[in-house]
Amino acid sequence: MNARTGLPWLWLTGGSIVADQLSKLWILETFALYETRSVLPVLAITHVYNTGAAFSFLAGAGGWQRWVFVGLAVVVSVVIGVWLKRLDGRRQRMLSISLALIMGGALGNVIDRLRLGYVVDFVLAHWKGHYFPAFNVADACITVGAGLLLLDAFLDMRRSKTNE
């Protein structure tokens, strides 16, 4: 990629949003609310709603949290957009990818909150009776993006120490 900015990586943002919304549409059309189907011994597909944030944080707060989460995601997305514009997309590839994925995940969940009033979650990982909270493609994009962001910071720190 020949870019003096990180903005060309926004195709990942768009792809994340499309994948997220198409997967949620499939869940809404295929599964009844709370229906669960086992896929693997440690993985199921389900259909649940989340009015809160990660791990259903503030899910029972009465509705105001919807607008706080929408506002927060929009602000974060604008900040990420400005950050991407200032990056060198060639030299800072991993950072650009991580930010594009985080933005895509945030905006994918914003679309749900604005359109439905809640986020559709459907991936249910479990092990021996212990269940991880259900999540979706947008959440996975945010998680992978955050992991890449941390990895990039770690590698950058190692490079800085090597160059001292």
Side-chain angles (χ1 to χ4, degrees), residues 71-123:
L72 181 63
V74 169
V75 168
V76 166
S77 295
V78 168
V79 168
I80 287 174
V82 170
W83 193 356
L84 281 168
K85 186 175 184 203
R86 295 179 179 175
L87 290 178
D88 183 330
R90 291 178 301 168
R91 287 192 19 233
Q92 295 172 297
R93 186 172 296 145
M94 188 182 308
L95 180 56
S96 298
I97 290 169
S98 71
L99 294 173
L101 287 172
I102 292 168
M103 181 190 276
L107 293 175
N109 283 338
V110 161
I111 292 168
D112 279 17
R113 289 185 197 286
L114 292 175
R115 191 170 65 91
L116 305 169
Y118 50 82
V119 172
V120 176
D121 287 330
F122 58 89
V123 180

Side-chain angles (χ1 to χ4, degrees), residues 48 92 119 132 136 162:
V48 294
Q92 295 172 297
V119 172
F132 189 78
N136 57 45
T162 304

Side-chain angles (χ1 to χ4, degrees), residues 10 18 23 41 49 75 79 84 86 103-104 113 127 142 163:
L10 287 177
V18 169
S23 63
Y49 298 155
V75 168
V79 168
L84 281 168
R86 295 179 179 175
M103 181 190 276
R113 289 185 197 286
W127 179 257
I142 292 168
N163 293 333

Side-chain angles (χ1 to χ4, degrees), residues 19 29-30 46-47 56 60 71 85 96 102 107 133 138 148 151:
E29 291 181 355
T30 308
T46 189
H47 177 182
S56 296
K85 186 175 184 203
S96 298
I102 292 168
L107 293 175
L148 289 173
L151 179 59

